[in-house]
Amino acid sequence: MTPRPVRLRVEARGAVQGVGFRPFVHRLAAELGLSGWVRNSAAGAEMEVEGPRESVDRFLVRLRTDKPVHAAYHGMEHAILEPAGLAGFRILESEPAGPAAGVVLPDIATCADCLREVLDPADRRHRYPFTNCTNCGPRYSIQEGLPWDRPQTTMRGFALCPLCRAEYDDPADRRFHAQPIACPACGPRLEHREGALRATGDDALRAAAARIAAGGILALKGLGGFQLICDARDPRAVARLRERKGREEKPFAVMTATLESARALCRTTPAEEALLDSPESPIVLLRRRGEGVCAGVAPGTPLLGVLLPTTPLHHLLLRDLGFPVVATSGNLSEEPICTGNEEAFDRLGGVADGFLAHDRPIARHVDDSVVRVIAGRATLLRRARGYAPMPILVGEPLEPVIAAGGQGKNTVGIATSGGVVLSQHIGDLDTVAARETLARTADSLGRLFGFLPRKAACDAHAGYASTAWAGSLGIPVVPVQHHHAHVLSCLAENDAPGPVLGVAWDGAGAGPDGTVWGGEFLRVDGNAWERVAHLRTFPLPGGDRAAREPRRAALGMAFEIFGPDLPPEVARLFSPAELATLLGMLGARVNTPRTSSAGRVFDAVAALAGLRSRAAYEGQAAMELEFAAEESETGDAWPLPLDGPILDWEPLLRALLDDLRAPLPVAVLAARFHNALVDGIAAVARRTGLQSVVLSGGCFQNGVLTGRAVGMLENEGFRVFRHQRVPPNDGGLALGQALAAGR
């Protein structure tokens, strides 16, 4: 007797759109002799198969074990139903009804198969810069709605030619139902502009390469926006780019053609190489060898930000050139990157000598992500292309909340049924253009996911532009203390329970006591938190201005101890007129907010050690202090005693002044300082009695501080949580805010 067939219905939630999932289901069902259908849904994908029970059971098992490489399940429900007489297997039109809960995939770097085609003179996609398949190509940067179908992307204006349509309809082809596919006959096209000159197609690509090789600056339209490109070996080209872009000293990233060429520039570890060559293809901070690029690319740092080509366009350009290039955001400093052609021609006209654009619209800006391997673990410093907007699963239901993030390194977040979705990096909100980008990005996320928030979460700092934006939405606003949000974000991405000791160290965050916090130790258990210790406070002359003048932090700390009778090591950092003005401010307590900021303590030590009294960009002084500490193997530490809840830096500062008079090498000073901070963290951890410690905040981008703190704490039996998929800096605040307000 023939066994009675059964019908299986499956609803899969997660990253199952844009990864070749439906073609995979089609092939699996055909292999097992099952009938049925599959389609995208607002929540992910749904399917039915019908056939012998044994085959249906194998289908369900292999659905999990054999899934496409980029697919990820966040939930899967199935039910056995009465057979319905299904015949054949079909991919149905998508079902958009219902609340959007699907996962939007990040853009994926060019796969090896597509690259082989692009480089093969016999292939019909030879040198076609928009080649992609189900395993790679644009996703988030072109997607305008769910589910993932071509009409919901910016590729809807490009009708498939017969050859591409045949690939799209062929279950055996890797382009089966690949939504962004195209070819030279039917897809986007390049255009190079240089003054009145125009070139299209492959001629445009060759003209762009010639402009770079001649020492020019090219504005190139990439996946998520324009980039500025020049010869990384040419000091004059790099200097012109710095002058025109308004980027004085902050390091540029460098793109190399292959992993082998990256190895020629930098020393790499297996973990770093895996990141470079990953589908996410971020900028990876590596140890430079000292050759291959000019000094102006990354002055004052032993690190070099390196990335490999992310699209066929980049692969072709780098191979045509044969040398590494600077690849930096297509904007003026402090502005959002350009995404539209006319916008770029207008805003970058004074920067670029030529433009390599194309006619595929960009749905939203997506900058390059930045990753650093710290103490053996990859840590995202900027979360954008390749990572956003993959959700962070939080393991608990949250109310629909939109989180506004902070003032610097801004991202926004939305709490959905699939977790918290963080936007791509937006940046600092100091300009009108940046604030407009915040509003557009939040609106784009809302439309993409069909999201209607009931509450808005924001930083407790009333003066932040993100806080003002949250208040403009017309829904209840939940302020979340800055450092509590830092700790919650780290707990969320590690799926870690409380209570924990949260060490939240950064430059600044509003404290409920009216001071500027930044050297905090918080006991955190869910939404309950209390401050259990902190760095001793000191006055900061000029407030926020001190972030660009480390010497001001040194003055504030010295004034706290010595009053106006300053040590000469401090006084010599200022002219007599400057010193008179600042001492007057300190004496009168005018514009001298008190702060416990660990970031400003870093600045003060860097200034006194002679490394940096003025900074060209945020964190520069602290970075140089970190790099100096790497040059010393001393285990000595300055004293940093714990006096009640106060971690007192006064003995540390006095010891520093003594060592300056010795004098000792800067590397030894920097190492003793870092070791003192680690001792201080351990001292607080021991006193609290908590067994879990969270390290969060911008200071934990520092490899020396983080590595030594993790080592000491783990050696003493503490469980240490730190950031991996979400930045420790303010780019992670929105996650913590969403968690606090959504519970």
Side-chain angles (χ1 to χ4, degrees):
M1 180 176 179
T2 303
R4 187 167 183 264
V6 297
R7 177 164 56 111
L8 171 73
R9 181 176 180 83
V10 180
E11 295 184 7
R13 299 184 300 277
V16 293
Q17 296 185 19
V19 294
F21 184 75
R22 289 176 298 170
F24 154 69
V25 172
H26 187 288
R27 290 190 294 270
L28 180 59
E31 180 183 336
L32 295 174
L34 299 172
S35 302
W37 53 265
V38 63
R39 67 184 174 192
N40 283 338
S41 69
E46 55 190 16
M47 67 211 75
E48 288 188 2
V49 294
E50 188 171 309
R53 180 61 186 256
E54 181 182 354
S55 297
V56 167
D57 289 344
R58 287 167 60 196
F59 174 88
L60 189 59
V61 170
R62 291 182 60 184
L63 201 61
R64 296 181 182 276
T65 61
D66 298 359
K67 64 180 177 61
V69 63
H70 297 302
Y73 299 133
H74 295 166
M76 185 182 290
E77 297 177 2
H78 71 275
I80 298 295
L81 309 173
E82 285 295 306
L86 300 176
F89 197 93
R90 297 177 295 157
I91 295 181
L92 302 181
E93 291 295 318
S94 299
E95 176 54 64
V103 172
V104 177
L105 274 197
D107 301 301
I108 303 170
T110 307
C111 71
D113 290 330
C114 283
L115 182 58
R116 275 193 293 270
E117 293 173 342
V118 170
L119 300 179
D120 181 1
D123 194 278
R124 73 186 188 93
R125 289 188 172 87
H126 178 234
R127 290 187 65 83
Y128 184 58
F130 304 99
T131 300
N132 64 80
C133 68
T134 55
N135 299 321
C136 69
R139 299 294 191 270
Y140 182 51
S141 62
I142 66 169
Q143 189 166 355
E144 295 181 322
L146 286 171
W148 172 247
D149 286 315
R150 197 174 181 100
Q152 299 270 36
T153 75
T154 62
M155 284 295 294
R156 61 179 171 271
F158 299 94
L160 293 173
C161 70
L163 289 177
C164 286
R165 171 57 67 179
E167 293 172 331
Y168 185 89
D169 291 337
D170 182 1
D173 197 287
R174 78 174 197 281
R175 293 191 170 92
F176 182 45
H177 276 252
Q179 305 306 329
I181 64 166
C183 75
C186 64
R189 299 190 178 187
L190 289 177
E191 180 187 50
H192 180 258
R193 292 190 182 189
E194 191 171 320
L197 300 176
R198 300 286 189 275
T200 58
D202 200 47
D203 290 338
L205 182 55
R206 296 186 189 279
R211 169 46 54 203
I212 297 169
I217 298 168
L218 178 75
L220 177 146
K221 187 177 183 181
L223 268 178
F226 277 79
Q227 296 168 305
L228 293 168
I229 310 284
C230 74
D231 186 346
R233 307 166 306 168
D234 186 344
R236 291 174 298 178
V238 172
R240 281 196 299 273
L241 178 56
R242 286 199 177 279
E243 180 181 2
R244 295 178 186 180
K245 184 178 166 69
R247 185 162 171 160
E248 184 180 352
E249 294 183 42
K250 193 173 183 180
F252 285 134
V254 170
M255 182 178 287
T256 67
T258 63
L259 186 57
E260 290 70 25
S261 54
R263 292 187 186 119
L265 291 179
C266 300
R267 299 192 297 272
T268 59
T269 66
E272 291 165 341
E273 291 189 2
L275 286 165
L276 282 170
D277 207 24
S278 68
E280 294 79 15
S281 191
I283 297 170
V284 183
L285 299 185
L286 304 172
R287 282 279 154 188
R288 61 198 301 178
R289 294 187 182 276
E291 300 176 354
V293 300
C294 69
V297 169
T301 169
L303 301 181
L304 188 65
V306 178
L307 77 161
L308 299 185
T310 54
T311 70
L313 175 58
H314 292 95
H315 277 287
L316 291 167
L317 181 64
L318 267 293
R319 279 168 169 75
D320 285 354
L321 289 171
F323 54 78
V325 298
V326 166
T328 188
S329 303
N331 58 3
L332 298 177
S333 286
E334 312 304 329
E335 290 186 359
I337 60 175
C338 299
T339 56
N341 293 352
E342 295 303 322
E343 174 197 12
F345 300 150
D346 177 45
R347 287 174 52 197
L348 301 179
V351 180
D353 300 307
F355 291 82
L356 185 60
H358 57 75
D359 55 352
R360 183 178 69 200
I362 295 172
R364 61 187 56 78
H365 86 280
V366 187
D367 217 326
D368 293 319
S369 295
V370 180
V371 179
R372 184 181 183 189
V373 175
I374 297 175
R377 182 179 296 177
T379 303
L380 267 171
L381 305 184
R382 184 168 74 192
R383 190 175 189 268
R385 180 188 49 74
Y387 298 92
M390 289 296 288
I392 306 298
L393 303 182
V394 296
E396 59 182 297
L398 299 177
E399 282 192 77
V401 170
I402 187 159
Q407 180 72 11
K409 298 178 176 61
N410 180 269
T411 62
V412 295
I414 58 174
T416 73
S417 59
V420 178
V421 175
L422 291 181
S423 77
Q424 69 278 25
H425 170 80
I426 297 170
D428 297 348
L429 302 182
D430 297 332
T431 65
V432 172
R435 295 190 283 273
E436 291 173 346
T437 300
L438 162 63
R440 282 198 307 272
T441 302
D443 179 67
S444 172
L445 275 182
R447 286 186 286 104
L448 186 58
F449 287 91
F451 179 75
L452 292 174
R454 295 179 189 168
K455 293 188 289 189
C458 65
D459 195 273
H461 195 303
Y464 281 1
S466 55
T467 301
W469 174 79
S472 73
L473 298 178
I475 54 179
V477 176
V478 180
V480 182
Q481 201 280 324
H482 187 93
H483 300 94
H484 181 214
H486 269 309
V487 177
L488 286 179
S489 72
C490 189
L491 285 173
E493 70 160 304
N494 285 284
D495 192 24
V500 299
L501 172 65
V503 185
W505 283 10
D506 59 7
D513 60 357
T515 65
V516 180
W517 286 14
E520 309 311 311
F521 297 87
L522 308 180
R523 186 188 190 278
V524 175
D525 191 1
N527 278 11
W529 66 275
E530 62 174 321
R531 191 190 201 190
V532 296
H534 60 88
L535 286 169
R536 177 178 170 179
T537 63
F538 58 93
L540 196 60
D544 291 343
R545 187 171 175 181
R548 290 296 179 92
E549 288 190 46
R551 60 184 186 153
R552 290 178 180 246
L555 175 60
M557 292 176 70
F559 186 85
E560 179 76 3
I561 300 173
F562 304 105
D565 188 17
L566 298 172
E569 293 81 6
V570 177
R572 68 189 179 202
L573 298 174
F574 303 88
S575 70
E578 289 174 328
L579 196 57
T581 299
L582 293 172
L583 286 175
M585 292 168 56
L586 287 162
R589 299 183 181 179
V590 174
N591 193 21
T592 55
R594 294 195 69 83
T595 184
S596 59
S597 168
R600 298 294 80 82
V601 174
F602 268 93
D603 286 347
V605 174
L608 289 170
L611 287 171
R612 175 76 49 180
S613 62
R614 297 175 185 269
Y617 56 90
E618 181 190 6
Q620 186 180 21
M623 288 169 56
E624 293 180 353
L625 197 63
E626 173 194 353
F627 301 143
E630 292 176 339
E631 302 301 317
S632 172
E633 296 182 358
T634 182
D636 295 343
W638 291 325
L640 185 61
L642 181 61
D643 183 7
I646 307 299
L647 202 57
D648 188 2
W649 45 259
E650 179 175 339
L652 181 152
L653 184 60
R654 292 183 181 275
L656 166 58
L657 293 172
D658 288 341
D659 284 350
L660 286 173
R661 295 158 189 157
L664 290 179
V666 171
V668 174
L669 302 178
R672 287 182 173 182
F673 171 65
H674 281 80
N675 294 341
L677 297 180
V678 171
D679 287 347
I681 291 171
V684 176
R686 294 184 202 109
R687 181 173 293 186
T688 63
L690 296 168
Q691 294 304 304
S692 296
V693 180
V694 165
L695 305 178
S696 188
C699 289
F700 291 104
Q701 298 173 117
N702 180 314
V704 173
L705 175 66
T706 303
R708 295 182 185 179
V710 169
M712 176 173 283
L713 290 168
E714 289 184 343
N715 284 340
E716 295 193 18
F718 292 97
R719 188 178 183 191
V720 182
F721 298 103
R722 52 193 173 110
H723 289 273
Q724 301 173 75
R725 298 174 295 147
V726 174
N729 58 47
D730 286 3
L733 285 177
L735 173 58
Q737 292 170 354
L739 202 64
R743 283 174 163 155

